[in-house]
Amino acid sequence: MGDSWAGRATASAFAEQAVAYGLATAAELAEVAAAWQRWAGADDGWLGMLHGELLVRVG
């Protein structure tokens, strides 16, 4: 999982747009990728992604 997110941080449309819009530099994104890889290598690293659905009725 960490390698996947590291790749997204540096080699994806997200990364290209972040640099193009001035939201991050390539060096900053490389730091983000390195952090994902450190997390992936940590014995106690974990990630939770919650997904849900909300149903609303207007009566």
Side-chain angles (χ1 to χ4, degrees):
M1 174 74 71
D3 289 331
S4 177
W5 283 99
R8 288 183 179 113
T10 57
S12 68
F14 162 79
E16 291 172 9
Q17 290 173 357
V19 173
Y21 299 151
L23 301 172
T25 65
E28 289 169 332
L29 293 175
E31 289 178 28
V32 170
W36 274 112
Q37 290 172 329
R38 283 192 305 275
W39 164 81
D43 290 337
D44 60 348
W46 64 276
L47 175 68
M49 289 188 174
L50 304 176
H51 298 273
E53 182 176 345
L54 178 65
L55 301 176
V56 177
R57 289 188 186 190
V58 177

Short mmCIF file of all heavy atoms in Angstrom, two decimals:
data_model
loop_
_atom_site.label_atom_id
_atom_site.label_comp_id
_atom_site.label_asym_id
_atom_site.label_seq_id
_atom_site.Cartn_x
_atom_site.Cartn_y
_atom_site.Cartn_z
N MET A 1 0.82 -1.19 0.00
CA MET A 1 0.00 0.00 0.00
C MET A 1 0.87 1.26 0.00
O MET A 1 0.59 2.19 -0.72
CB MET A 1 -0.94 -0.03 1.20
CG MET A 1 -1.76 1.21 1.40
SD MET A 1 -3.13 1.52 0.28
CE MET A 1 -4.30 0.31 0.73
N GLY A 2 1.90 1.30 0.80
CA GLY A 2 2.75 2.48 0.88
C GLY A 2 3.44 2.80 -0.42
O GLY A 2 3.57 3.97 -0.80
N ASP A 3 3.89 1.77 -1.14
CA ASP A 3 4.54 2.02 -2.42
C ASP A 3 3.56 2.58 -3.43
O ASP A 3 3.90 3.44 -4.24
CB ASP A 3 5.19 0.74 -2.96
CG ASP A 3 6.41 0.34 -2.17
OD1 ASP A 3 7.09 1.23 -1.61
OD2 ASP A 3 6.71 -0.86 -2.10
N SER A 4 2.33 2.12 -3.36
CA SER A 4 1.29 2.62 -4.26
C SER A 4 1.04 4.12 -4.02
O SER A 4 1.00 4.91 -4.96
CB SER A 4 0.00 1.83 -4.05
OG SER A 4 -1.03 2.35 -4.85
N TRP A 5 0.89 4.50 -2.77
CA TRP A 5 0.66 5.90 -2.45
C TRP A 5 1.91 6.74 -2.72
O TRP A 5 1.80 7.90 -3.12
CB TRP A 5 0.21 6.05 -1.00
CG TRP A 5 -1.23 5.68 -0.85
CD1 TRP A 5 -1.71 4.47 -0.40
CD2 TRP A 5 -2.37 6.45 -1.20
NE1 TRP A 5 -3.08 4.47 -0.44
CE2 TRP A 5 -3.51 5.68 -0.93
CE3 TRP A 5 -2.53 7.72 -1.72
CZ2 TRP A 5 -4.80 6.15 -1.15
CZ3 TRP A 5 -3.81 8.18 -1.94
CH2 TRP A 5 -4.93 7.40 -1.66
N ALA A 6 3.08 6.17 -2.53
CA ALA A 6 4.31 6.89 -2.85
C ALA A 6 4.37 7.20 -4.34
O ALA A 6 4.74 8.31 -4.74
CB ALA A 6 5.53 6.07 -2.43
N GLY A 7 3.98 6.25 -5.16
CA GLY A 7 3.95 6.48 -6.59
C GLY A 7 2.95 7.55 -6.98
O GLY A 7 3.22 8.37 -7.86
N ARG A 8 1.81 7.55 -6.33
CA ARG A 8 0.81 8.58 -6.62
C ARG A 8 1.32 9.97 -6.27
O ARG A 8 0.96 10.96 -6.90
CB ARG A 8 -0.48 8.31 -5.85
CG ARG A 8 -1.24 7.13 -6.39
CD ARG A 8 -2.56 6.95 -5.62
NE ARG A 8 -3.28 5.83 -6.17
CZ ARG A 8 -3.51 4.69 -5.53
NH1 ARG A 8 -3.07 4.53 -4.30
NH2 ARG A 8 -4.18 3.73 -6.10
N ALA A 9 2.14 10.05 -5.22
CA ALA A 9 2.66 11.34 -4.79
C ALA A 9 3.67 11.92 -5.77
O ALA A 9 3.90 13.13 -5.77
CB ALA A 9 3.30 11.22 -3.40
N THR A 10 4.28 11.06 -6.60
CA THR A 10 5.33 11.56 -7.48
C THR A 10 5.09 11.32 -8.96
O THR A 10 5.66 12.02 -9.80
CB THR A 10 6.69 10.92 -7.12
OG1 THR A 10 6.56 9.50 -7.19
CG2 THR A 10 7.15 11.34 -5.73
N ALA A 11 4.29 10.35 -9.31
CA ALA A 11 4.13 9.99 -10.73
C ALA A 11 2.66 9.76 -11.05
O ALA A 11 2.24 8.63 -11.31
CB ALA A 11 4.95 8.74 -11.05
N SER A 12 1.87 10.83 -11.01
CA SER A 12 0.44 10.71 -11.28
C SER A 12 -0.09 12.07 -11.72
O SER A 12 0.61 13.09 -11.64
CB SER A 12 -0.30 10.25 -10.03
OG SER A 12 -0.26 11.28 -9.05
N ALA A 13 -1.33 12.08 -12.16
CA ALA A 13 -1.98 13.35 -12.51
C ALA A 13 -2.04 14.26 -11.28
O ALA A 13 -1.88 15.48 -11.39
CB ALA A 13 -3.37 13.09 -13.07
N PHE A 14 -2.27 13.67 -10.12
CA PHE A 14 -2.27 14.46 -8.88
C PHE A 14 -0.95 15.19 -8.70
O PHE A 14 -0.93 16.40 -8.42
CB PHE A 14 -2.52 13.54 -7.68
CG PHE A 14 -2.12 14.15 -6.36
CD1 PHE A 14 -2.94 15.07 -5.74
CD2 PHE A 14 -0.90 13.83 -5.76
CE1 PHE A 14 -2.56 15.67 -4.54
CE2 PHE A 14 -0.52 14.41 -4.57
CZ PHE A 14 -1.36 15.33 -3.96
N ALA A 15 0.15 14.48 -8.87
CA ALA A 15 1.47 15.08 -8.70
C ALA A 15 1.70 16.18 -9.74
O ALA A 15 2.18 17.27 -9.41
CB ALA A 15 2.55 14.02 -8.80
N GLU A 16 1.36 15.91 -10.97
CA GLU A 16 1.54 16.91 -12.03
C GLU A 16 0.73 18.16 -11.74
O GLU A 16 1.23 19.28 -11.90
CB GLU A 16 1.12 16.32 -13.37
CG GLU A 16 2.04 15.23 -13.88
CD GLU A 16 1.50 14.54 -15.12
OE1 GLU A 16 0.49 15.01 -15.70
OE2 GLU A 16 2.07 13.51 -15.51
N GLN A 17 -0.51 18.00 -11.31
CA GLN A 17 -1.36 19.15 -11.03
C GLN A 17 -0.89 19.90 -9.79
O GLN A 17 -0.93 21.14 -9.77
CB GLN A 17 -2.81 18.70 -10.86
CG GLN A 17 -3.42 18.24 -12.16
CD GLN A 17 -4.80 17.63 -11.97
OE1 GLN A 17 -5.30 17.51 -10.85
NE2 GLN A 17 -5.42 17.25 -13.07
N ALA A 18 -0.43 19.20 -8.78
CA ALA A 18 0.06 19.86 -7.57
C ALA A 18 1.23 20.77 -7.90
O ALA A 18 1.30 21.90 -7.40
CB ALA A 18 0.47 18.82 -6.53
N VAL A 19 2.11 20.32 -8.76
CA VAL A 19 3.25 21.15 -9.17
C VAL A 19 2.78 22.27 -10.09
O VAL A 19 3.17 23.44 -9.92
CB VAL A 19 4.34 20.28 -9.85
CG1 VAL A 19 5.44 21.15 -10.43
CG2 VAL A 19 4.93 19.29 -8.84
N ALA A 20 1.94 21.96 -11.06
CA ALA A 20 1.47 22.97 -12.03
C ALA A 20 0.72 24.10 -11.34
O ALA A 20 0.85 25.26 -11.74
CB ALA A 20 0.60 22.30 -13.08
N TYR A 21 -0.07 23.78 -10.32
CA TYR A 21 -0.85 24.80 -9.62
C TYR A 21 -0.08 25.48 -8.50
O TYR A 21 -0.62 26.32 -7.79
CB TYR A 21 -2.14 24.19 -9.07
CG TYR A 21 -3.07 23.61 -10.10
CD1 TYR A 21 -3.91 22.56 -9.78
CD2 TYR A 21 -3.12 24.09 -11.41
CE1 TYR A 21 -4.77 22.01 -10.71
CE2 TYR A 21 -3.97 23.55 -12.35
CZ TYR A 21 -4.80 22.51 -12.00
OH TYR A 21 -5.65 21.97 -12.93
N GLY A 22 1.18 25.10 -8.33
CA GLY A 22 2.01 25.72 -7.31
C GLY A 22 1.67 25.28 -5.89
O GLY A 22 2.02 25.95 -4.93
N LEU A 23 1.01 24.14 -5.76
CA LEU A 23 0.64 23.64 -4.44
C LEU A 23 1.76 22.87 -3.77
O LEU A 23 1.77 22.73 -2.54
CB LEU A 23 -0.61 22.75 -4.55
CG LEU A 23 -1.84 23.46 -5.14
CD1 LEU A 23 -2.95 22.46 -5.39
CD2 LEU A 23 -2.30 24.56 -4.21
N ALA A 24 2.69 22.35 -4.56
CA ALA A 24 3.82 21.59 -4.04
C ALA A 24 4.92 21.60 -5.08
O ALA A 24 4.67 21.79 -6.27
CB ALA A 24 3.42 20.16 -3.73
N THR A 25 6.14 21.40 -4.61
CA THR A 25 7.26 21.24 -5.52
C THR A 25 7.53 19.76 -5.71
O THR A 25 7.06 18.92 -4.91
CB THR A 25 8.53 21.91 -4.96
OG1 THR A 25 8.91 21.21 -3.76
CG2 THR A 25 8.31 23.39 -4.66
N ALA A 26 8.28 19.43 -6.73
CA ALA A 26 8.65 18.04 -6.95
C ALA A 26 9.43 17.51 -5.74
O ALA A 26 9.24 16.35 -5.33
CB ALA A 26 9.47 17.89 -8.22
N ALA A 27 10.26 18.35 -5.13
CA ALA A 27 11.03 17.93 -3.95
C ALA A 27 10.10 17.64 -2.77
O ALA A 27 10.31 16.67 -2.04
CB ALA A 27 12.05 19.00 -3.58
N GLU A 28 9.08 18.47 -2.59
CA GLU A 28 8.13 18.24 -1.50
C GLU A 28 7.35 16.94 -1.72
O GLU A 28 7.13 16.18 -0.78
CB GLU A 28 7.17 19.42 -1.38
CG GLU A 28 7.83 20.66 -0.83
CD GLU A 28 6.97 21.90 -0.95
OE1 GLU A 28 6.13 21.98 -1.87
OE2 GLU A 28 7.16 22.80 -0.11
N LEU A 29 6.97 16.68 -2.96
CA LEU A 29 6.26 15.45 -3.25
C LEU A 29 7.16 14.24 -3.06
O LEU A 29 6.70 13.17 -2.64
CB LEU A 29 5.69 15.49 -4.67
CG LEU A 29 4.57 16.52 -4.88
CD1 LEU A 29 4.17 16.57 -6.34
CD2 LEU A 29 3.38 16.24 -3.98
N ALA A 30 8.45 14.39 -3.34
CA ALA A 30 9.41 13.31 -3.09
C ALA A 30 9.49 13.02 -1.59
O ALA A 30 9.61 11.86 -1.17
CB ALA A 30 10.78 13.65 -3.65
N GLU A 31 9.41 14.07 -0.76
CA GLU A 31 9.41 13.88 0.70
C GLU A 31 8.15 13.13 1.13
O GLU A 31 8.20 12.26 2.01
CB GLU A 31 9.47 15.23 1.41
CG GLU A 31 10.81 15.93 1.30
CD GLU A 31 10.80 17.29 1.99
OE1 GLU A 31 10.02 17.47 2.94
OE2 GLU A 31 11.56 18.16 1.56
N VAL A 32 7.01 13.48 0.54
CA VAL A 32 5.76 12.78 0.85
C VAL A 32 5.88 11.30 0.47
O VAL A 32 5.50 10.42 1.24
CB VAL A 32 4.58 13.44 0.11
CG1 VAL A 32 3.32 12.59 0.22
CG2 VAL A 32 4.32 14.84 0.65
N ALA A 33 6.44 11.03 -0.70
CA ALA A 33 6.62 9.65 -1.14
C ALA A 33 7.53 8.89 -0.19
O ALA A 33 7.26 7.74 0.17
CB ALA A 33 7.19 9.63 -2.56
N ALA A 34 8.61 9.53 0.25
CA ALA A 34 9.52 8.87 1.18
C ALA A 34 8.83 8.57 2.50
O ALA A 34 9.05 7.52 3.11
CB ALA A 34 10.76 9.75 1.41
N ALA A 35 7.96 9.47 2.95
CA ALA A 35 7.22 9.24 4.19
C ALA A 35 6.28 8.04 4.04
O ALA A 35 6.17 7.22 4.96
CB ALA A 35 6.44 10.49 4.57
N TRP A 36 5.61 7.92 2.89
CA TRP A 36 4.76 6.76 2.65
C TRP A 36 5.57 5.47 2.70
O TRP A 36 5.14 4.47 3.26
CB TRP A 36 4.05 6.87 1.30
CG TRP A 36 2.77 7.64 1.35
CD1 TRP A 36 2.52 8.84 0.77
CD2 TRP A 36 1.55 7.25 1.99
NE1 TRP A 36 1.23 9.23 1.03
CE2 TRP A 36 0.61 8.27 1.77
CE3 TRP A 36 1.16 6.15 2.74
CZ2 TRP A 36 -0.68 8.21 2.26
CZ3 TRP A 36 -0.13 6.09 3.23
CH2 TRP A 36 -1.04 7.11 2.98
N GLN A 37 6.76 5.50 2.12
CA GLN A 37 7.60 4.30 2.11
C GLN A 37 8.10 3.96 3.51
O GLN A 37 8.18 2.79 3.87
CB GLN A 37 8.73 4.47 1.12
CG GLN A 37 8.21 4.46 -0.31
CD GLN A 37 9.25 4.82 -1.34
OE1 GLN A 37 10.17 5.60 -1.07
NE2 GLN A 37 9.11 4.28 -2.53
N ARG A 38 8.42 4.98 4.31
CA ARG A 38 8.81 4.72 5.71
C ARG A 38 7.65 4.10 6.47
O ARG A 38 7.82 3.16 7.24
CB ARG A 38 9.27 6.01 6.40
CG ARG A 38 10.65 6.45 6.02
CD ARG A 38 11.19 7.55 6.94
NE ARG A 38 10.31 8.71 7.03
CZ ARG A 38 10.30 9.73 6.17
NH1 ARG A 38 11.12 9.73 5.14
NH2 ARG A 38 9.47 10.74 6.34
N TRP A 39 6.46 4.64 6.26
CA TRP A 39 5.27 4.10 6.91
C TRP A 39 5.07 2.64 6.52
O TRP A 39 4.78 1.80 7.36
CB TRP A 39 4.03 4.93 6.52
CG TRP A 39 2.75 4.24 6.83
CD1 TRP A 39 2.13 4.17 8.04
CD2 TRP A 39 1.96 3.47 5.93
NE1 TRP A 39 0.99 3.41 7.93
CE2 TRP A 39 0.86 2.97 6.64
CE3 TRP A 39 2.07 3.15 4.57
CZ2 TRP A 39 -0.11 2.18 6.07
CZ3 TRP A 39 1.10 2.37 4.00
CH2 TRP A 39 0.03 1.89 4.74
N ALA A 40 5.20 2.34 5.23
CA ALA A 40 4.98 0.97 4.75
C ALA A 40 5.98 0.00 5.36
O ALA A 40 5.66 -1.17 5.60
CB ALA A 40 5.07 0.91 3.22
N GLY A 41 7.18 0.47 5.64
CA GLY A 41 8.22 -0.38 6.22
C GLY A 41 8.16 -0.50 7.73
O GLY A 41 8.85 -1.34 8.31
N ALA A 42 7.33 0.31 8.37
CA ALA A 42 7.25 0.30 9.83
C ALA A 42 6.42 -0.89 10.31
O ALA A 42 5.39 -1.22 9.73
CB ALA A 42 6.64 1.60 10.35
N ASP A 43 6.87 -1.53 11.36
CA ASP A 43 6.15 -2.68 11.91
C ASP A 43 4.76 -2.30 12.42
O ASP A 43 3.84 -3.10 12.38
CB ASP A 43 6.93 -3.32 13.06
CG ASP A 43 8.19 -4.03 12.57
OD1 ASP A 43 8.23 -4.40 11.38
OD2 ASP A 43 9.11 -4.19 13.38
N ASP A 44 4.63 -1.06 12.92
CA ASP A 44 3.34 -0.65 13.49
C ASP A 44 2.56 0.27 12.55
O ASP A 44 1.56 0.86 12.95
CB ASP A 44 3.54 0.02 14.84
CG ASP A 44 4.41 1.27 14.75
OD1 ASP A 44 5.04 1.49 13.70
OD2 ASP A 44 4.47 2.02 15.73
N GLY A 45 2.96 0.36 11.30
CA GLY A 45 2.25 1.21 10.35
C GLY A 45 0.96 0.54 9.89
O GLY A 45 0.91 -0.64 9.61
N TRP A 46 -0.12 1.33 9.87
CA TRP A 46 -1.39 0.81 9.37
C TRP A 46 -2.17 1.95 8.76
O TRP A 46 -1.90 3.12 8.99
CB TRP A 46 -2.19 0.11 10.47
CG TRP A 46 -2.63 1.02 11.58
CD1 TRP A 46 -1.89 1.39 12.67
CD2 TRP A 46 -3.88 1.68 11.69
NE1 TRP A 46 -2.60 2.25 13.45
CE2 TRP A 46 -3.83 2.46 12.88
CE3 TRP A 46 -5.03 1.72 10.92
CZ2 TRP A 46 -4.90 3.24 13.30
CZ3 TRP A 46 -6.08 2.51 11.35
CH2 TRP A 46 -6.02 3.25 12.52
N LEU A 47 -3.16 1.62 7.97
CA LEU A 47 -3.97 2.61 7.28
C LEU A 47 -5.42 2.14 7.30
O LEU A 47 -5.69 0.97 7.00
CB LEU A 47 -3.50 2.77 5.83
CG LEU A 47 -4.33 3.68 4.93
CD1 LEU A 47 -4.20 5.13 5.39
CD2 LEU A 47 -3.89 3.54 3.48
N GLY A 48 -6.30 3.01 7.65
CA GLY A 48 -7.73 2.70 7.61
C GLY A 48 -8.42 3.65 6.65
O GLY A 48 -8.21 4.86 6.71
N MET A 49 -9.20 3.11 5.76
CA MET A 49 -9.99 3.93 4.84
C MET A 49 -11.45 3.56 5.03
O MET A 49 -11.86 2.45 4.70
CB MET A 49 -9.58 3.68 3.39
CG MET A 49 -8.25 4.22 3.03
SD MET A 49 -8.02 4.06 1.26
CE MET A 49 -6.50 4.91 1.06
N LEU A 50 -12.17 4.47 5.58
CA LEU A 50 -13.57 4.22 5.85
C LEU A 50 -14.42 4.58 4.64
O LEU A 50 -14.19 5.60 3.99
CB LEU A 50 -14.03 5.04 7.06
CG LEU A 50 -13.22 4.82 8.33
CD1 LEU A 50 -13.71 5.75 9.43
CD2 LEU A 50 -13.33 3.37 8.78
N HIS A 51 -15.37 3.76 4.37
CA HIS A 51 -16.31 4.00 3.28
C HIS A 51 -17.71 3.80 3.84
O HIS A 51 -17.95 2.92 4.65
CB HIS A 51 -16.08 3.02 2.12
CG HIS A 51 -14.74 3.15 1.50
ND1 HIS A 51 -14.48 4.05 0.48
CD2 HIS A 51 -13.57 2.55 1.76
CE1 HIS A 51 -13.21 3.95 0.14
NE2 HIS A 51 -12.63 3.04 0.90
N GLY A 52 -18.61 4.65 3.43
CA GLY A 52 -19.96 4.51 3.93
C GLY A 52 -20.97 5.11 2.96
O GLY A 52 -20.62 5.63 1.91
N GLU A 53 -22.21 5.03 3.36
CA GLU A 53 -23.29 5.54 2.55
C GLU A 53 -24.31 6.19 3.47
O GLU A 53 -24.60 5.69 4.55
CB GLU A 53 -23.95 4.39 1.79
CG GLU A 53 -25.06 4.80 0.87
CD GLU A 53 -25.62 3.64 0.08
OE1 GLU A 53 -24.96 2.58 0.02
OE2 GLU A 53 -26.72 3.79 -0.46
N LEU A 54 -24.83 7.31 3.06
CA LEU A 54 -25.82 8.03 3.84
C LEU A 54 -27.09 8.12 3.00
O LEU A 54 -27.07 8.63 1.89
CB LEU A 54 -25.29 9.42 4.18
CG LEU A 54 -26.22 10.33 4.97
CD1 LEU A 54 -26.45 9.75 6.36
CD2 LEU A 54 -25.60 11.71 5.07
N LEU A 55 -28.17 7.60 3.56
CA LEU A 55 -29.47 7.67 2.88
C LEU A 55 -30.33 8.70 3.61
O LEU A 55 -30.52 8.62 4.82
CB LEU A 55 -30.16 6.31 2.89
CG LEU A 55 -29.38 5.17 2.22
CD1 LEU A 55 -30.12 3.85 2.40
CD2 LEU A 55 -29.15 5.46 0.75
N VAL A 56 -30.86 9.65 2.86
CA VAL A 56 -31.66 10.71 3.46
C VAL A 56 -33.03 10.70 2.78
O VAL A 56 -33.12 10.67 1.56
CB VAL A 56 -30.99 12.08 3.26
CG1 VAL A 56 -31.87 13.18 3.82
CG2 VAL A 56 -29.62 12.11 3.90
N ARG A 57 -34.06 10.75 3.61
CA ARG A 57 -35.44 10.86 3.08
C ARG A 57 -36.01 12.18 3.55
O ARG A 57 -35.95 12.51 4.72
CB ARG A 57 -36.31 9.72 3.60
CG ARG A 57 -35.96 8.41 2.99
CD ARG A 57 -36.97 7.40 3.41
NE ARG A 57 -36.52 6.11 2.92
CZ ARG A 57 -37.26 5.03 2.94
NH1 ARG A 57 -38.47 5.07 3.45
NH2 ARG A 57 -36.79 3.91 2.48
N VAL A 58 -36.57 12.87 2.62
CA VAL A 58 -37.25 14.11 2.97
C VAL A 58 -38.74 13.81 2.87
O VAL A 58 -39.24 13.40 1.83
CB VAL A 58 -36.84 15.24 1.99
CG1 VAL A 58 -37.61 16.50 2.30
CG2 VAL A 58 -35.34 15.47 2.05
N GLY A 59 -39.41 13.96 3.98
CA GLY A 59 -40.80 13.53 4.02
C GLY A 59 -41.71 14.65 4.14
O GLY A 59 -42.68 15.07 3.90
#
